[in-house]
Amino acid sequence: MKGIIVGNNNSTKKEIVPSGTHIARCYSMIHIGTVEWEYNGEQKFSNKVRLTFELPNEMREFSGEQKPMVISKEYTLTMHEKSNLRKDLEMWRGKQFTHKELGNFDLIEILEECCNLTVIHKTTKTGNEYAAIGGLSSLPKGIECANQINPTFIFNYGENFNQEWLEAQPEWIQKQIKNTPEYENKINQIKYKSVTADDTTF
């Protein structure tokens, strides 16, 4: 007679984005800031941005509403010839950047634009499977992308800084952003403006 068998994982497995090539639209752009990381025992610093794409052909029910699955990728903010950002953008555009374009390319140009997005499945050291963006490419001629569903969103340290949005994010996102010098500088600017405004009030 058996008793109650207990496994090592009682959590419900979350569905991940299916592997393969998907029609996608970039709808969210988050400037994370400069993060610190380690490589071969040496401390490194990289200015990061997170791009998020919706997949209109992969609709699922979220909180009782049909919405597209989404997937994100972090990039270092550099257009160096070996950077992943430049490589993916050139594959998306279907052409290389000119020297002039490299000098003043604004990432906002890709917001609300469609592409082909390749998803690959990977496995963590603990055995958990997850979906990752393997690459981007331009849509073939004649292929249409459905209308955008998720609202366009930008977070940066300029006019699109949104503290309320940040406080509503998962803890790991908050920690990642709040540990950057860009965030610290922004908060100091806000505090300085507040103090200055108080000093000039009669």
Side-chain angles (χ1 to χ4, degrees), residues 17 21-27 52-58 68-71 92 110 112-119 133 135-139 143-148:
V17 174
T21 300
H22 303 266
I23 295 175
R25 174 182 274 109
C26 182
Y27 75 92
T52 303
F53 300 79
E54 64 176 24
L55 311 180
N57 292 338
E58 294 294 338
M69 300 187 81
V70 302
I71 189 168
W92 185 348
I110 68 173
E112 303 180 356
E113 296 296 329
C114 294
C115 64
N116 265 346
L117 182 151
T118 300
V119 174
I133 295 177
L136 308 174
S137 61
S138 58
L139 283 179
I143 300 299
E144 296 184 359
C145 183
N147 292 333
Q148 183 171 330

Side-chain angles (χ1 to χ4, degrees), residues 90-107:
E90 289 185 335
M91 289 297 295
W92 185 348
R93 288 157 46 99
K95 62 179 181 179
Q96 293 182 327
F97 284 97
T98 65
H99 288 295
K100 183 177 180 180
E101 289 173 329
L102 288 173
N104 61 356
F105 182 75
D106 191 339
L107 272 181

Side-chain angles (χ1 to χ4, degrees), residues 83-94:
S83 73
N84 289 327
L85 179 61
R86 180 172 171 178
K87 178 184 68 175
D88 280 359
L89 290 179
E90 289 185 335
M91 289 297 295
W92 185 348
R93 288 157 46 99

Side-chain angles (χ1 to χ4, degrees):
M1 181 177 179
K2 291 185 177 181
I4 300 174
I5 307 302
V6 181
N8 60 1
N9 187 359
N10 292 323
S11 60
T12 302
K13 187 175 181 180
K14 181 180 178 181
E15 182 183 7
I16 61 177
V17 174
S19 61
T21 300
H22 303 266
I23 295 175
R25 174 182 274 109
C26 182
Y27 75 92
S28 174
M29 184 177 299
I30 298 170
H31 182 194
I32 297 168
T34 303
V35 299
E36 183 178 359
W37 52 286
E38 185 176 316
Y39 180 73
N40 289 338
E42 184 178 354
Q43 297 302 112
K44 303 282 187 178
F45 298 88
S46 298
N47 194 1
K48 296 285 188 177
V49 63
R50 180 182 297 113
L51 304 180
T52 303
F53 300 79
E54 64 176 24
L55 311 180
N57 292 338
E58 294 294 338
M59 302 295 291
R60 300 290 189 276
E61 184 175 318
F62 297 97
S63 301
E65 185 178 357
Q66 287 291 315
K67 291 184 178 181
M69 300 187 81
V70 302
I71 189 168
S72 303
K73 184 174 181 178
E74 287 186 11
Y75 294 91
T76 299
L77 269 175
T78 175
M79 294 296 276
H80 186 275
E81 60 182 2
K82 294 183 178 180
S83 73
N84 289 327
L85 179 61
R86 180 172 171 178
K87 178 184 68 175
D88 280 359
L89 290 179
E90 289 185 335
M91 289 297 295
W92 185 348
R93 288 157 46 99
K95 62 179 181 179
Q96 293 182 327
F97 284 97
T98 65
H99 288 295
K100 183 177 180 180
E101 289 173 329
L102 288 173
N104 61 356
F105 182 75
D106 191 339
L107 272 181
I108 200 171
E109 293 183 22
I110 68 173
L111 272 176
E112 303 180 356
E113 296 296 329
C114 294
C115 64
N116 265 346
L117 182 151
T118 300
V119 174
I120 57 177
H121 286 179
K122 297 184 177 182
T123 304
T124 66
K125 293 181 179 179
T126 57
N128 294 320
E129 189 177 36
Y130 67 97
I133 295 177
L136 308 174
S137 61
S138 58
L139 283 179
K141 290 183 179 180
I143 300 299
E144 296 184 359
C145 183
N147 292 333
Q148 183 171 330
I149 298 174
N150 290 301
T152 301
F153 182 77
I154 302 174
F155 176 89
N156 60 25
Y157 297 100
E159 61 184 17
N160 294 300
F161 182 79
N162 189 330
Q163 185 69 34
E164 290 185 4
W165 169 83
L166 181 58
E167 297 300 335
Q169 299 310 299
E171 185 177 352
W172 70 270
I173 294 179
Q174 292 191 44
K175 184 177 180 180
Q176 186 183 36
I177 291 176
K178 290 181 178 181
N179 284 339
T180 65
E182 288 85 356
Y183 177 82
E184 183 179 358
N185 290 338
K186 184 65 178 182
I187 294 302
N188 288 336
Q189 290 174 12
I190 294 173
K191 290 180 179 178
Y192 176 77
K193 289 181 180 179
S194 177
V195 170
T196 302
D198 291 340
D199 289 343
T200 56
T201 301
F202 293 95

